[in-house]
mmCIF file of all heavy atoms in Angstrom:
data_model
loop_
_atom_site.group_PDB
_atom_site.id
_atom_site.type_symbol
_atom_site.label_atom_id
_atom_site.label_comp_id
_atom_site.label_asym_id
_atom_site.label_seq_id
_atom_site.Cartn_x
_atom_site.Cartn_y
_atom_site.Cartn_z
ATOM 1 N N GLY W 25 -5.670 24.308 -33.321
ATOM 2 C CA GLY W 25 -6.643 25.073 -32.428
ATOM 3 C C GLY W 25 -6.310 24.834 -30.898
ATOM 4 O O GLY W 25 -7.033 24.918 -30.008
ATOM 5 N N ILE W 26 -5.034 24.441 -30.727
ATOM 6 C CA ILE W 26 -4.633 24.117 -29.320
ATOM 7 C C ILE W 26 -3.991 25.274 -28.837
ATOM 8 O O ILE W 26 -2.886 25.685 -29.218
ATOM 9 C CB ILE W 26 -3.576 22.900 -29.241
ATOM 10 C CG1 ILE W 26 -4.333 21.584 -29.713
ATOM 11 C CG2 ILE W 26 -3.135 22.740 -27.743
ATOM 12 C CD1 ILE W 26 -3.350 20.407 -30.023
ATOM 13 N N THR W 27 -4.752 26.088 -27.870
ATOM 14 C CA THR W 27 -4.263 27.450 -27.662
ATOM 15 C C THR W 27 -3.346 27.383 -26.331
ATOM 16 O O THR W 27 -2.782 28.431 -25.960
ATOM 17 C CB THR W 27 -5.512 28.278 -27.380
ATOM 18 O OG1 THR W 27 -6.326 27.576 -26.450
ATOM 19 C CG2 THR W 27 -6.244 28.541 -28.793
ATOM 20 N N ARG W 28 -3.423 26.322 -25.680
ATOM 21 C CA ARG W 28 -2.599 26.248 -24.322
ATOM 22 C C ARG W 28 -1.848 24.919 -24.342
ATOM 23 O O ARG W 28 -2.451 23.846 -24.566
ATOM 24 C CB ARG W 28 -3.429 26.421 -23.125
ATOM 25 C CG ARG W 28 -2.772 26.448 -21.838
ATOM 26 C CD ARG W 28 -3.632 26.333 -20.606
ATOM 27 N NE ARG W 28 -4.394 25.059 -20.641
ATOM 28 C CZ ARG W 28 -5.394 24.671 -19.818
ATOM 29 N NH1 ARG W 28 -5.770 25.531 -18.921
ATOM 30 N NH2 ARG W 28 -5.942 23.505 -19.963
ATOM 31 N N TRP W 29 -0.607 24.998 -24.241
ATOM 32 C CA TRP W 29 0.279 23.861 -24.168
ATOM 33 C C TRP W 29 0.490 23.503 -22.674
ATOM 34 O O TRP W 29 1.046 24.308 -21.910
ATOM 35 C CB TRP W 29 1.500 24.215 -24.923
ATOM 36 C CG TRP W 29 2.496 22.927 -24.909
ATOM 37 C CD1 TRP W 29 3.576 22.784 -24.092
ATOM 38 C CD2 TRP W 29 2.413 21.691 -25.735
ATOM 39 N NE1 TRP W 29 4.140 21.583 -24.340
ATOM 40 C CE2 TRP W 29 3.452 20.943 -25.194
ATOM 41 C CE3 TRP W 29 1.501 21.316 -26.608
ATOM 42 C CZ2 TRP W 29 3.607 19.633 -25.787
ATOM 43 C CZ3 TRP W 29 1.685 19.974 -27.207
ATOM 44 C CH2 TRP W 29 2.735 19.169 -26.706
ATOM 45 N N VAL W 30 0.364 22.213 -22.345
ATOM 46 C CA VAL W 30 0.613 21.630 -21.024
ATOM 47 C C VAL W 30 1.352 20.404 -21.220
ATOM 48 O O VAL W 30 0.906 19.584 -21.909
ATOM 49 C CB VAL W 30 -0.626 21.437 -20.299
ATOM 50 C CG1 VAL W 30 -0.330 21.170 -18.878
ATOM 51 C CG2 VAL W 30 -1.533 22.714 -20.374
ATOM 52 N N SER W 31 2.518 20.403 -20.569
ATOM 53 C CA SER W 31 3.212 19.035 -20.741
ATOM 54 C C SER W 31 2.426 18.092 -19.893
ATOM 55 O O SER W 31 1.741 18.249 -19.021
ATOM 56 C CB SER W 31 4.662 19.173 -20.223
ATOM 57 O OG SER W 31 4.589 19.202 -18.844
ATOM 58 N N ARG W 32 2.759 16.705 -20.171
ATOM 59 C CA ARG W 32 2.049 15.662 -19.505
ATOM 60 C C ARG W 32 2.243 15.862 -17.936
ATOM 61 O O ARG W 32 1.317 15.673 -17.162
ATOM 62 C CB ARG W 32 2.535 14.248 -19.912
ATOM 63 C CG ARG W 32 1.949 13.903 -21.256
ATOM 64 C CD ARG W 32 2.289 12.537 -21.624
ATOM 65 N NE ARG W 32 1.986 12.254 -22.956
ATOM 66 C CZ ARG W 32 0.712 12.041 -23.419
ATOM 67 N NH1 ARG W 32 -0.305 12.165 -22.620
ATOM 68 N NH2 ARG W 32 0.490 11.764 -24.651
ATOM 69 N N GLN W 33 3.464 16.061 -17.499
ATOM 70 C CA GLN W 33 3.805 16.286 -16.048
ATOM 71 C C GLN W 33 3.085 17.381 -15.438
ATOM 72 O O GLN W 33 2.547 17.288 -14.243
ATOM 73 C CB GLN W 33 5.232 16.441 -15.834
ATOM 74 C CG GLN W 33 6.201 15.291 -16.226
ATOM 75 C CD GLN W 33 6.565 15.273 -17.741
ATOM 76 O OE1 GLN W 33 5.877 15.903 -18.521
ATOM 77 N NE2 GLN W 33 7.532 14.632 -18.074
ATOM 78 N N ALA W 34 2.908 18.511 -16.176
ATOM 79 C CA ALA W 34 2.240 19.704 -15.578
ATOM 80 C C ALA W 34 0.766 19.573 -15.591
ATOM 81 O O ALA W 34 0.065 20.338 -14.959
ATOM 82 C CB ALA W 34 2.804 20.892 -16.357
ATOM 83 N N GLY W 35 0.171 18.641 -16.403
ATOM 84 C CA GLY W 35 -1.223 18.517 -16.667
ATOM 85 C C GLY W 35 -2.035 18.534 -15.488
ATOM 86 O O GLY W 35 -3.077 19.104 -15.244
#
Side-chain angles (χ1 to χ4, degrees):
I26 298 168
T27 52
R28 186 188 57 185
W29 176 260
V30 186
S31 75
R32 283 187 191 284
Q33 291 87 338

